[in-house]
Amino acid sequence: MRKHSRGVTLIELMTVMVIAAILASIAVPTYRSYVLRTHRTTATAALLRVQQAQEKFFLSKNVYSTNLTAAVADGGLGIPAVTDNGEFYDLTLDPATPTAYTVHAKARAVTKQTDDTRCAEFTINQDGKRTATSSTGTDTTAECWR
C-alpha cells in the first residue's frame, strides 16, 4: 500500500503559477488601457475650465484673453499650463483674437500618457467646438469626447 503524502506536488504548483501568469498577462494591459482612458477626463475637464474662464473674461472685458497662465489682473486666465490630477496633458492657448480662441490639451510624454495614441490631443474653441485627434492626426472626436 502506498502512503498518502500531504502537500502539493511540483507539477500542481507549476500549473497554478502558469494560470496566474496567464491571468496577469491579460489583466495588466487591460488595466493600463483603462487608466489611460480615465486620464482623458483630466484633459476634457481642463479644456472646459479654460472655456469657462474665457467666457467669464469676455463678459468683463469684451475680448478673449491671449494668456493662459498669467494672473487675471494681468490680462490672463490664471490657469496652469498642465492639467490637474497628475499633470497628464499640456495646455496651450493659440494666440487669441478679440473674438476667437482655441485651446489645446496634448498628452505629456513624461507621464506616459502618450501611450494613449487614440486620443493624443484635444481642442476646444470659442464656439464650443470640440475635437480630438490620434497621434497620427486622425479625427477621433466621437471616441475621445464621450
Side-chain angles (χ1 to χ4, degrees), residues 52-74:
Q52 182 181 22
Q54 280 285 34
E55 294 306 320
K56 185 177 177 183
F57 191 91
F58 188 85
L59 284 174
S60 66
K61 305 207 189 299
N62 208 28
V63 293
Y64 289 115
S65 173
T66 59
N67 194 321
L68 185 67
T69 58
V72 175
D74 297 329

Side-chain angles (χ1 to χ4, degrees), residues 49-126:
R49 268 195 314 278
V50 171
Q51 181 187 31
Q52 182 181 22
Q54 280 285 34
E55 294 306 320
K56 185 177 177 183
F57 191 91
F58 188 85
L59 284 174
S60 66
K61 305 207 189 299
N62 208 28
V63 293
Y64 289 115
S65 173
T66 59
N67 194 321
L68 185 67
T69 58
V72 175
D74 297 329
L77 298 176
I79 295 177
V82 291
T83 57
D84 296 337
N85 302 327
E87 303 174 342
F88 297 106
Y89 290 84
D90 289 316
L91 297 178
T92 56
L93 177 64
D94 279 355
T97 65
T99 58
Y101 68 88
T102 302
V103 185
H104 301 268
K106 190 167 184 176
R108 298 185 81 205
V110 293
T111 59
K112 300 261 188 200
Q113 190 61 28
T114 51
D115 292 347
D116 185 11
T117 58
R118 294 293 303 150
C119 302
E121 185 172 354
F122 295 86
T123 62
I124 195 165
N125 68 13
Q126 74 284 346

Side-chain angles (χ1 to χ4, degrees), residues 38-48 83 89 91 105-106 122 145:
T38 59
H39 291 177
R40 294 175 190 169
T41 59
T42 64
T44 57
L47 289 177
L48 293 173
T83 57
Y89 290 84
L91 297 178
K106 190 167 184 176
F122 295 86
W145 273 96

Side-chain angles (χ1 to χ4, degrees), residues 126-140:
Q126 74 284 346
D127 295 326
K129 182 179 181 201
R130 303 168 181 185
T131 61
T133 54
S134 69
S135 59
T136 60
T138 306
D139 184 1
T140 55

